[in-house]
Every structure is written in structure tokens, then in C-alpha cells.
Amino acid sequence: MHVSDQPLWDIDAVSKAYPGVQANDRVSIQLMPGRIHGLLGENGSGKSTLIRLLSGVDRPDSGEIRLKGRAVSMASPTEARALGVATVFQEFSIVPSLTVAENVFLGRWPRRAFGLIDWDTMNSRSRDVLAELDIELDPEAVTSTLSVAQQQLIEIAKAVAAEAQLIILDEPTTALGLDEIAQLHALLRRMRDKGHAILYVSHRLDEVTALVDEVTIMRGGRVVSAAGNTAVQVDAIVSAMIGGDVREHYPKICNVTSEVVLDVSGMSSAKGARDVSFTLHKGEVLGLGGVLGSGRTEIARALFGLDPIVAGTVVVRGRRLQARSPADAIAAGLALVTENRKTDGLFFNFDGRSNISSASLSRFSHFGFLDLKREERESARLAQLLELSRGAEDKSVRHLSGGNQQKVVLARWLLSETRVLILDEPTQGIDIGAKLAVYRLINQLTAQGCAILLISSDHDELLAMSDRIAVIRQGSVTDIRAPNELSHADLVRAATGEDTIQGRKVA
Amino acid sequence: MRRIFDAQLVGPLAAMLLVALVVAMTTDRFLDPGNLANLALQVSIVSLIAIGATVVIFAGGIDLSSGSMVALLTMILATVVKTFGYPLWPTLAGVLLIGAALGALNGVLTAFLRIPSFIVTLAGLIAFRGLALMFNNGSPIFSLDPNFEPVFYGRLFGIPLPFFYLVVLYGAATVMMNNTRLGREIYAVGGNPAAAKLSGINVRRVQTYAFTIAGLMTAVGSILMASRLNSGSPNYGQTFELQAIAAAVVGGASLIGGRGNILSTLVGALTIVIVQNGLNLHAVPSAVQNVVLGLIILIAVGVDMWRTEIARSIRRLSGLGKRAAGATQPGPSSSGKTTTGNTTTGKAVAGK
């Protein structure tokens, strides 16, 4: 076993800003050879940015990155790879139609004369790499025939074949089962013992504590607990991740009534919602808590008529809803603000006004003709209500900021007289001012009697803005509680795979 | 009405006027009323088909089948009128219906069976002409009906009828795109089908309607074609689909969908025909003419694709000039002027 005191990679006070957000603020972290280093933090804490800087995707605005004591500057992922950094992202960079060996040597295939690929060398060297890692795979098997876990192993074999000294894994286990996770961890431990440095990013605390040698915890773009200061222990990590009590930053107003507007019972969809039951009251905000991929978005899609419902019932304001398309759901008073406003929310070929009116065209038309004056009047009213930037209605939404774009999407559903509004990560990627505007809007809407289903991975936001919280795991509601019976720590635990939620009674 | 005169129309219109000015100054016959009337007749049929081609492009698709559909529809028309002896006017109504139905078929195959419209209409391009050849053993049918020719050659107040067809149908298409729910939905579906679906728009139905409109406009073009030559032929309409798409593209319609002004297509068609006329008047060989037309299409699309980059570099260049001017001659009045100028440019670029 090879251990040295000198860090392999020394990240010294690097900062990186993206428009509207300081993603990394003087972040320092040392990666030692022969150590597995855990990097933890909630969504938006700056972990991904740090990975991007280390793997040459982005360059820091300031600060220094040193390899074995020597300052380096990486202008591209290729340069980072040449310096021995291999990053395994959540999305694999594997070509399914190629063989295992071809993937292991992707882009660096050994050649013979005339540029022909030297298949024998490639296959035998792949066999050596796989054997070294105790991975039982046929180098000549076609990758698409393998399981997700096996494909993940190929990614790591690829890193080893490229003689990477630092291996970065970003949420490597989201798609893996328990056995496969154990197999992956055994492999990582062997690589550690061979002297590799490993940076391991995960949401699953149980897993991290079992694997890593040290942890760095990030919050709001900064390192809040450096390696060595944090014990590798769930409770210590959770309290460092949460930080101070931030509930008072949220302008929550409670408008809950006793009138049920949405009653879902035993609903299962063809794509991931399983036996979901809950009720939603007029003026209520029901938060859906859970990790990415827990099935919250799938529940929203089923309600909105995007995925077929195979069992159970959905009743909106006393009427059974069998939505076979979003049009049916909209007619019943539902609205869905999706997570990706850029891909399926906004019309970038339209100005703000046409974006706002796109779900209300039937109300604005008589015998097929649009009442453009009324469209202009009503969208102007909403622009004012939402404090949209001046002139946004006449500008292409391409030229609007993220916050204003989100307001445009929200305005669309205010205009369509929504009774039940589903918000999927409504404050993702927008600045704090626009976030506050969204919170105020949630209050306004509930005051008018609109009911809201709030999906958010920002636990502070979820706890502060919800009247009740449903914890979602694997497509099902596992528990519904009032936010004051749940602590942030409970949510983190529930979301990261610990089975029991210890409710804390506030008397 | 706010979208009739916008940046999307002003650019192509300016380009057309420039081309017309050059042709008028370098030849003496261009402005001759006879020449202009002839141009209008020459451009009318493809321009009408181009309405449908443009609507399909707005909806995010492409229609390659219109030229062959012209051949098929003129053969159906000729067979029904000449061989079966049916009366002319009801037959014309029937041809319009068949055209719309064939367009709807393109639409259903694209929208519901999810075959890319390029492939669906490429199949149509090949198959419709094949169907046209099955009539009358593949031979043209002449001398349909003496009452038929005035449909194309007739005049009202001394102005050829096709001029009125253009005004009425482009007017209707403009109203449809700007003032009706269907028009807005076509732009929405072409711009972002996923967002359109989530807005409750029936994306498949809208796509089908767009192709149906294309089929209907092709039928209108077919009737004028048959009237112009008082005949039907399986050879009519060759490359009409490409000319129609060229008109839309030169007019600034984006092949990505969702963007463009339908009137610009007419401007695009006129631009092409004016260039052709100019080259003819200068006795340029037709081989060279084709090369020039190809270049025009490339330039028109290039300008459209690089519009933002071009605007940015113009801004940067003017900004550099401004800074240089400011360094030598700092004065509140000059900087005030520049600001106003910039604001206007910004609006023109941002406006749809």
C-alpha cells in the first residue's frame, strides 16, 4: 500500500461563478493517493461545479489547482484526462453498440500499419485490465447486452486503462442494486489500495459512511466542513449539511381550508407511480419529498395525463378525472410546471405574451379567432402581478433571465384558471430574488384557493413552504406529516435510504 | 395584426426591393407592364403552393410531395372532365377535396404513425407521380373545357385573376397565422412540441391540419396549372415542391419550425422570379441561372442562421467605433445619440 503525505491533487481556494450564482466560493480540498474522499452536500451546494473544474469541463475564475505540488491549468476534458483524471458521470460515456474492449480503449484504440485497429492487442490488454480489477467480463461482449452495473464497471476499467491516478465518481450508485453496490465498493477499495485517489460523490449517506476514508461537506458553494474536521458518521454529516435554521427566510402564509380539491387513491401509472394515495385541500401546499428518481415526477406526470394510469382513481373537485392527455387535465383545472422549463416549458420562438397565453387559447378564441386585445390585456395584468421585467411580454423569452422565464411559465398557469398547480422544482437554477417571488406567488395562489403540489429537492424550501409533506420512495407515498413533525435531518435520512423516520414532536 | 409588418418581413422585403432596383436599373424592359404582368402569372402557381409548404414548415415539418400531387390532381381532373364528361365546376370542388385528403394522409402518417415528414412526403413525391401515370396510359389529356381557361387567363378591371388569388389567399393565410387559434397552435407545435403538449395543445391534430392545408393549396395550384394549359399531364409540377420550399426559405422561414412570416414566402417567391427575369433579360444561359438560384438559397439561409452572430458583430463593431469616438470626442450629446440608435436596433432584433 502506497501512502504519502503529499496530496496528489491540491485544490486551493478555487472560485467559479455562473450567471446569477457563485457556484464555488474559495473551495479548498486535498485528494491524497490511496484514500477515498467523500464529497457531500445538498443539490446546488457546488459539488457538481467542483467536479467540472477538476475534470477540465470548466475553468476556475480564481484559485489554483495543483498536481503533485505543481500548478496546472486544464482547458478541456482531454487535458484533464492526459493529467490522469478520469470522471465517471451519472450519464455514462459508453457506446452501447461497441464491445467491452472497444469501450475500454475508446478513442485510443491500438493501431497497426495503415491505421488499422490492432484487435488482438486491444482485446488482450482489456483482458489484463479487467483481470487486474477482478471484473469478470468478456472483452468481446457487446456492451448493450450487459447490465447497467456492468457498464458502470467498464467506465472504471476505462479509467484504469487510461492510467488515471484520480478517479471521480458522481452519484455512481443511483442505478445499482445492493449487490452491485457492494461489488463496486470492493473494486474501489482495491483501487485505493493500489494507490489511486478516489473522489466519491453521493447522496446516500449510509453508503458513503461505509466506504470513504474522509469527507468534505459543501453548502452554498463553500466548504463548510473540511476533511479531518468531520467524523465519518451520519449524524455529524447531516448536521453539517443542514447548517443553521433557515426557515425564517421563507415568507410562508398558511391558507389551508378543509375542502378537498384533489383526492388520489391507489393510483398506479405505467411508468413508476405505485399505489399512490393522498388528498389535497383548497389553499393547501402539499410538499413531495424524496430523492431524485424517487418517483415524484412520475406521480405528477400520471396526474397530468402524460403517463397512462393503470389503477386507482383521481377525483378533482368531486369529479372523477380520467386524463388521457394534458388537455383533459387542464380542462379539469390541473396545471404542471415542469422541472425543465427550457426543454418542455418555454416556446423560444414566442415573445413573453404568447408564452403566457399558450394554455388559454381556447378561452381567448371565438369561432377559432383569437381575441388579441384580450390576450394582451390579461397577460399585461399577470406580468404586473408577477413583477415581470419591463417589456418582457414583447421580447422573445430567449432574452429573459432564468427568473423571468420561470415567471412567464407560472403566469401561463395563472391565466388558465388553475385549481391544482403541480410545481416540479420551481426554484431550480433561479436567483434568490426570483425564488422569493415564487414563494410570494405560492402564497397568493393559495390565498385565492388554488391547491399546490410542490416537488422540491431543496429541503429547506420544502419544509418551509409546505403545509404537509408526503415522503416519496420508489413511486409510493411512505408517510404524510406536518412539517413541524419532520426535521430536516429526517428528510435527509428518508431521502437517503434510511428506513425509519423519527418524527420529532414539537409540543 | 401586430405581426404583419415585423422584422421577419422587413428584411426579405428590403432584399427583394434591392434586387428589383438593380434589375430595373440595368435593363429597360423590367418595368414594362407586360413584363410585370407576365411575372405575376409566372410566379402565381408556385406561390400558392408555397403557402401550404410554409405552413407545414412552421409546424416543424416539410412537404416534398406537392409537385407530384399537382401531376396526379391534374390527371384526375382531366380524366373526370374529359373522359367521363362530368361538369367542370363540381369537379374542381372535388379536386380541392381530394387534395386536402391527400394532405391529411401525409399528416396522419407523420403525426400519428410518427414517420418523419421528410420520408412520408418523399414517398408521396415518388408514388403520386406514379399514380398520375396510371391515368390515360400515362399520356397527357388536352382540351379539357373551353370555359376552363379563363380561371387562369381571365382579368378583372384589367388585372389578371391570379393576382387576386394571391391577394385573397395570402391575406387569408396571414389572418390564419396571426389571428386564429390554429395559426398560433401551428407556431407553438413547430417551436416546441413538448411544451405545446403540456399546454394542452393537441399536437398531432395540429400537425395533421397543417398538412391538410398544404394539400388544399396544392389542389388550388393544380387547378390553375390545368387551366393555364387546359390539360392534365403526369409531367406537370416537376420541382414545384422544391421551388415552394425555396420561396419559403428565401422569405426567411426557419426549417427548424415555429418561426417566420407567411407573407415573407410571397416576397421570397417574387425575389426568385425577379432574379430569374433579370438574368433572362441579360440573356444569361439557364445553366448559369440555376447556379445563381442555388447561391441565393444558400445566402438566404446563411443570413437567417447567422442572424444573431451578424447582429452581434455589427453591435460589437459599432461599439468599438463608439468607444473610439468617445475617446477622442467625449460629449454628452453624441453619447445620447448613440444610445437612442442602439435601443432602436435592439427592438428590431428582439421583435418577432
Side-chain angles (χ1 to χ4, degrees):
Chain A
M1 187 160 149
H2 161 91
V3 179
S4 97
D5 287 343
Q6 195 197 21
L8 179 68
W9 284 90
D10 188 0
I11 292 91
D12 189 7
V14 295
S15 296
K16 176 73 190 174
Y18 296 111
V21 53
Q22 183 69 42
N24 269 6
D25 185 3
R26 284 161 290 154
V27 171
S28 295
I29 182 170
Q30 280 90 37
L31 303 172
M32 314 296 281
R35 307 273 280 174
I36 300 178
H37 196 122
L39 180 61
L40 296 169
E42 297 195 89
N43 292 328
S45 60
K47 295 172 307 198
S48 307
T49 304
L50 184 59
I51 295 173
R52 291 167 71 84
L53 297 180
L54 255 176
S55 47
V57 179
D58 281 331
R59 303 175 79 167
D61 301 330
S62 65
E64 206 168 61
I65 299 180
R66 288 188 287 269
L67 170 60
K68 294 179 185 159
R70 192 171 49 86
V72 292
S73 160
M74 296 176 287
S76 71
T78 320
E79 289 184 26
R81 239 172 281 143
L83 291 172
V85 180
T87 309
V88 180
F89 289 103
Q90 273 167 292
E91 296 87 22
F92 300 161
S93 44
I94 278 183
V95 185
S97 56
L98 297 183
T99 67
V100 172
E102 283 169 320
N103 270 302
V104 167
F105 285 95
L106 193 64
R108 304 177 300 111
W109 295 324
R111 303 291 173 94
R112 288 191 307 192
F114 308 115
L116 297 173
I117 293 171
D118 186 348
W119 297 99
D120 295 339
T121 308
M122 187 169 77
N123 286 335
S124 73
R125 278 176 58 193
S126 297
R127 200 165 283 125
D128 293 345
V129 169
L130 294 170
E132 188 189 330
L133 296 171
D134 277 340
I135 300 174
E136 281 176 36
L137 280 181
D138 177 6
E140 292 176 60
V142 175
T143 313
S144 57
T145 62
L146 305 175
S147 72
V148 175
Q150 287 170 319
Q151 294 185 15
Q152 180 111 48
L153 297 178
I154 297 174
E155 284 276 9
I156 292 166
K158 214 165 120 183
V160 172
E163 282 160 14
Q165 286 305 304
L166 170 63
I167 296 167
I168 303 172
L169 296 116
D170 187 6
E171 297 282 351
T173 56
T174 34
L176 304 188
L178 280 176
D179 292 347
E180 296 161 337
I181 292 174
Q183 196 187 355
L184 175 70
H185 283 186
L187 173 58
L188 292 178
R189 288 195 186 94
R190 282 200 299 281
M191 298 195 56
R192 169 188 65 190
D193 297 344
K194 290 199 166 90
H196 291 278
I198 292 164
L199 183 64
Y200 190 89
V201 182
S202 177
H203 275 115
R204 302 179 61 159
L205 299 185
D206 48 346
E207 212 190 284
V208 171
T209 49
L211 177 72
V212 305
D213 301 311
E214 54 200 354
V215 285
T216 292
I217 294 167
M218 295 187 69
R219 192 171 66 235
R222 297 179 185 205
V223 171
V224 290
S225 173
N229 295 338
T230 318
V232 184
Q233 187 193 37
V234 172
D235 282 342
I237 292 172
V238 167
S239 68
M241 277 170 70
I242 295 168
D245 188 13
V246 273
R247 285 190 200 191
E248 53 263 37
H249 293 288
Y250 297 89
K252 170 67 181 171
I253 300 170
C254 179
N255 293 310
V256 183
T257 65
S258 59
E259 186 187 329
V260 173
V261 288
L262 176 67
D263 187 358
V264 179
S265 86
M267 178 187 79
S268 295
S269 79
K271 295 198 182 146
R274 288 192 305 122
D275 195 19
V276 174
S277 300
F278 63 85
T279 55
L280 184 59
H281 301 88
K282 192 176 167 183
E284 183 182 35
V285 179
L286 177 64
L288 299 189
V291 278
L292 299 174
S294 59
R296 297 173 301 173
T297 299
E298 284 70 17
I299 292 172
R301 288 179 58 88
L303 286 173
F304 201 58
L306 284 164
D307 293 343
I309 292 175
V310 293
T313 56
V314 177
V315 177
V316 183
R317 288 194 292 167
R319 247 195 236 156
R320 175 92 190 266
L321 169 66
Q322 284 170 305
R324 269 175 297 149
S325 73
D328 296 339
I330 292 168
L334 263 60
L336 172 64
V337 175
T338 58
E339 201 173 350
N340 306 312
R341 63 173 174 273
K342 283 192 192 330
T343 55
D344 50 22
L346 290 164
F347 296 97
F348 286 97
N349 55 328
F350 279 169
D351 54 18
R353 179 179 302 120
S354 308
N355 265 289
I356 291 173
S357 64
S358 70
S360 308
L361 294 178
S362 60
R363 276 202 304 129
F364 290 153
S365 51
H366 308 285
F367 305 106
F369 283 86
L370 292 173
D371 184 343
L372 297 179
K373 291 245 169 61
R374 191 171 153 211
E375 181 192 19
E376 191 166 340
R377 212 167 46 236
E378 299 214 11
S379 57
R381 180 175 64 78
L382 281 163
Q384 205 179 3
L385 180 78
L386 295 181
E387 299 157 26
L388 211 58
S389 73
R390 227 157 50 88
E393 300 147 79
D394 293 311
K395 266 192 230 166
S396 163
V397 290
R398 254 178 308 179
H399 303 296
L400 300 181
S401 69
N404 277 302
Q405 288 180 348
Q406 186 67 308
K407 287 183 193 172
V408 164
V409 175
L410 289 169
R412 176 185 301 163
W413 297 113
L414 294 193
L415 192 56
S416 76
E417 293 179 343
T418 295
R419 309 310 305 171
V420 176
L421 178 61
I422 308 170
L423 296 172
D424 195 353
E425 304 287 0
T427 61
Q428 203 176 57
I430 63 178
D431 61 39
I432 185 70
K435 276 188 187 178
L436 283 172
V438 170
Y439 300 144
R440 281 199 293 273
L441 182 69
I442 290 177
N443 288 334
Q444 270 172 351
L445 282 168
T446 51
Q448 288 165 22
C450 184
I452 292 178
L453 212 54
L454 175 65
I455 299 175
S456 175
S457 297
D458 180 339
H459 292 144
D460 292 329
E461 172 178 298
L462 198 65
L463 285 168
M465 295 308 298
S466 305
D467 297 300
R468 284 183 307 153
I469 292 177
V471 179
I472 311 294
R473 277 185 73 187
Q474 296 176 343
S476 297
V477 177
T478 56
D479 198 5
I480 299 184
R481 283 167 189 259
N484 60 7
E485 293 174 4
L486 274 169
S487 71
H488 192 129
D490 292 331
L491 259 184
V492 172
R493 278 206 195 87
T496 50
E498 295 216 353
D499 277 308
T500 50
I501 297 176
Q502 288 137 14
R504 261 180 232 169
K505 296 277 183 217
V506 177
Chain B
M1 299 305 261
R2 64 198 148 98
R3 286 207 191 100
I4 293 182
F5 265 102
D6 60 12
Q8 300 264 18
L9 184 56
V10 170
L13 200 59
M16 181 191 83
L17 292 175
L18 187 71
V19 168
L21 191 69
V22 170
V23 176
M25 282 183 0
T26 57
T27 64
D28 46 4
R29 276 171 298 162
F30 175 67
L31 292 177
D32 183 271
N35 185 49
L36 288 179
N38 197 29
L39 283 188
L41 289 182
Q42 205 182 317
V43 80
S44 59
I45 294 175
V46 165
S47 299
L48 290 172
I49 294 172
I51 291 177
T54 308
V55 168
V56 167
I57 289 173
F58 285 164
I62 191 99
D63 183 6
L64 298 175
S65 69
S66 51
S68 298
M69 205 190 287
V70 167
L72 175 59
L73 291 176
T74 61
M75 282 311 282
I76 291 175
L77 197 166
T79 305
V80 171
V81 170
K82 184 87 178 183
T83 315
F84 298 156
Y86 274 63
L88 179 66
W89 304 107
T91 307
L92 296 189
V95 166
L96 292 176
L97 274 179
I98 296 170
L102 291 174
L105 177 67
N106 279 337
V108 167
L109 291 170
T110 301
F112 291 88
L113 299 186
R114 293 190 300 276
I115 304 170
S117 60
F118 184 93
I119 301 299
V120 168
T121 58
L122 180 65
L125 170 89
I126 298 165
F128 291 157
R129 199 167 293 281
L131 284 173
L133 282 162
M134 292 179 190
F135 289 83
N136 198 36
N137 294 321
S139 304
I141 303 171
F142 298 105
S143 313
L144 300 183
D145 188 323
N147 294 324
F148 194 18
E149 289 191 351
V151 171
F152 186 80
Y153 289 105
R155 282 170 183 255
L156 191 62
F157 314 120
I159 299 167
L161 283 178
F163 174 80
F164 294 99
Y165 303 149
L166 284 176
V167 170
V168 169
L169 290 170
Y170 268 93
T174 302
V175 169
M176 181 186 82
M177 291 314 298
N178 294 328
N179 294 61
T180 71
R181 181 176 171 186
L182 177 62
R184 184 69 65 81
E185 290 181 340
I186 286 171
Y187 278 126
V189 165
N192 188 342
K197 187 177 179 193
L198 287 168
S199 291
I201 293 170
N202 190 331
V203 174
R204 292 171 173 181
R205 196 164 64 199
V206 169
Q207 285 171 334
T208 306
Y209 282 154
F211 278 98
T212 307
I213 290 166
L216 187 64
M217 293 314 301
T218 302
V220 171
S222 306
I223 289 172
L224 290 185
M225 190 75 195
S227 158
R228 183 181 179 179
L229 301 164
N230 202 14
S231 59
S233 164
N235 295 317
Y236 287 169
Q238 298 201 22
T239 75
F240 276 19
E241 69 284 341
L242 300 180
Q243 293 178 45
I245 292 167
V249 164
V250 170
S254 160
L255 287 179
I256 311 161
R259 290 186 180 88
N261 180 316
I262 190 99
L263 270 184
S264 299
T265 295
L266 181 57
V267 174
L270 289 172
T271 308
I272 292 173
V273 82
I274 290 169
V275 170
Q276 277 174 330
N277 188 234
L279 296 172
N280 275 332
L281 294 175
H282 281 292
V284 174
S286 68
V288 177
Q289 290 195 16
N290 283 339
V291 175
V292 172
L293 274 180
L295 288 176
I296 289 174
I297 291 171
L298 278 185
I299 291 168
V301 177
V303 168
D304 185 54
M305 301 283 280
W306 304 318
R307 191 163 39 192
T308 45
E309 282 88 344
I310 292 169
R312 199 179 303 141
S313 53
I314 289 173
R315 262 200 303 275
R316 199 174 49 228
L317 286 175
S318 67
L320 285 176
K322 190 171 59 186
R323 234 172 288 147
T328 50
Q329 217 177 25
S333 65
S334 78
S335 72
K337 240 183 249 164
T338 344
T339 318
T340 337
N342 263 357
T343 325
T344 339
T345 337
K347 250 184 214 154
V349 174
K352 263 189 39 72

